[in-house]
Amino acid sequence: MDERWIKTLCLSALLVTVSGCAQSQFRAGDLPRQYTAASIRNYSTVDLTPFAKAIASGNTIEPGDTLQVNLNTGTQTEDSNLVWKVSVDESGQTSLPNIGAVKLAGLSRAQAEKTIVQASLQRDVFLTPTVEISVDKQNTRTIQVSGAVTKPGPITIRGENVTLADVLVRAGGLTDAASGQVSVTGAEGSSAANLSLPNAIQSVGSTTDYGFKAITVSLSTTPLEQFGEIAIPDGSVVHVEELGPRPIKVMGVIRDQAVQVPSGENIRLLDAIALAGGQTYSNWISDRITVIRRTGDGRETVTIRASIRRARNDNTENILLAPYDVVQIEENVFTFTLSTLSGLFGAGLSAAQIGAY
């Protein structure tokens, strides 16, 4: 039997097998909404910078830091040198004996020293003081970031309150391979109560070995400003889920192959044909396409009929494809005849070349 006929029969058998559980058949331009492919969003364009706090300089004082303050009252007495070890609270303030509360967060050590002197003078505590500050301990948090981010790995962020927006911005933002799902696993010994849980965030399980829960956040349903409100404990793991493989099978009167949909991109009917090497024949000769699509839990199959000529002129015909779609460029009497003649001429030419030797 002619090899072309064998291939045609095999393709037809496959189409019948795949379509065996089909319940519906539609024209591409009339495809019901429930059977349309979901559009893929490129999350690398999402900008969380407005919802993240400014990167703290290593030279500035931040909430949670522990300071040593050396103050000389200027009185030239034995007790004129005072040494205090103080911490900076969440509001950015510290409390100094006699002087009281002074806001130091965001200041350099030199600026903080001047601020304490000015507070002392304004409050008539010490009239000729000199101040020297050293940072005894900086408050930092280390978060492990993995998955579809530009700079995966551990990141260190200064400050008492670290949010999911802070973490993702420090990690360089999301790549085009991000699925839009972000999971956060709390630090060892922490509990779910340590993680802020807005309504759009779902608890996804627990790990009894460490006593913490994981949450997942969807970029498609969570307002971006909430990313600036989700507190991330020290030692947490933030994972940005990556899109899995999204192959589309292109077959028939074309070079058969599985086309991989690029990350962060949508692919339409004509795109798939182009990625598969383009049409073998003109669309005036080879025009009809059948798309087999599994929907829901995969038990239902939809058959979609399309036309290459219509798809070129009407975007509703150039439908968006879904992962694992099977696209068949259908055989017809013209394509079969041309392929057969091409095969015969090719075989004759090969025989003539062999005879010449």
Side-chain angles (χ1 to χ4, degrees), residues 5-166:
W5 271 113
I6 295 174
K7 183 177 179 182
T8 301
L9 290 173
C10 289
L11 291 177
S12 300
L14 177 61
L15 189 59
V16 169
T17 301
V18 174
S19 306
C21 57
Q23 297 179 357
S24 307
Q25 180 171 305
F26 303 96
R27 286 287 317 166
D30 302 320
L31 189 63
R33 182 180 297 274
Q34 66 265 33
Y35 298 125
T36 59
S39 179
I40 297 298
R41 182 178 175 185
N42 187 348
Y43 288 102
S44 67
T45 61
V46 173
D47 184 13
L48 292 170
T49 305
F51 312 106
K53 62 175 176 283
I55 298 175
S57 166
N59 298 321
T60 60
I61 297 169
E62 296 297 326
D65 286 353
T66 302
L67 311 175
Q68 179 171 302
V69 179
N70 297 286
L71 185 145
N72 188 298
T73 63
T75 58
Q76 303 299 321
T77 60
E78 291 184 1
D79 59 352
S80 62
N81 288 314
L82 304 175
V83 179
W84 304 313
K85 184 168 285 189
V86 296
S87 61
V88 182
D89 64 21
E90 292 184 7
S91 67
Q93 293 187 330
T94 190
S95 181
L96 301 172
N98 300 322
I99 296 175
V102 182
K103 188 166 185 177
L104 301 179
L107 303 179
S108 66
R109 284 185 297 168
Q111 291 170 330
E113 290 165 356
K114 291 181 180 179
T115 299
I116 293 173
V117 169
Q118 290 172 355
S120 177
L121 294 175
Q122 291 170 357
R123 298 168 190 177
D124 293 328
V125 181
F126 305 111
L127 300 181
T128 57
T130 57
V131 177
E132 183 178 340
I133 293 177
S134 61
V135 178
D136 186 63
K137 183 181 179 182
Q138 287 187 331
N139 181 35
T140 59
R141 300 196 176 201
T142 300
I143 313 295
Q144 185 72 32
V145 188
S146 61
V149 292
T150 302
K151 296 181 288 186
I155 60 172
T156 299
I157 303 178
R158 296 197 60 203
E160 188 69 20
N161 297 312
V162 174
T163 69
L164 186 52
D166 298 330

Side-chain angles (χ1 to χ4, degrees), residues 295-315:
T295 63
D297 58 4
R299 296 181 180 179
E300 181 182 0
T301 304
V302 174
T303 301
I304 306 167
R305 302 290 184 184
S307 159
I308 296 177
R309 289 198 297 272
R310 290 181 181 177
R312 291 187 184 280
N313 299 311
D314 185 353
N315 207 44

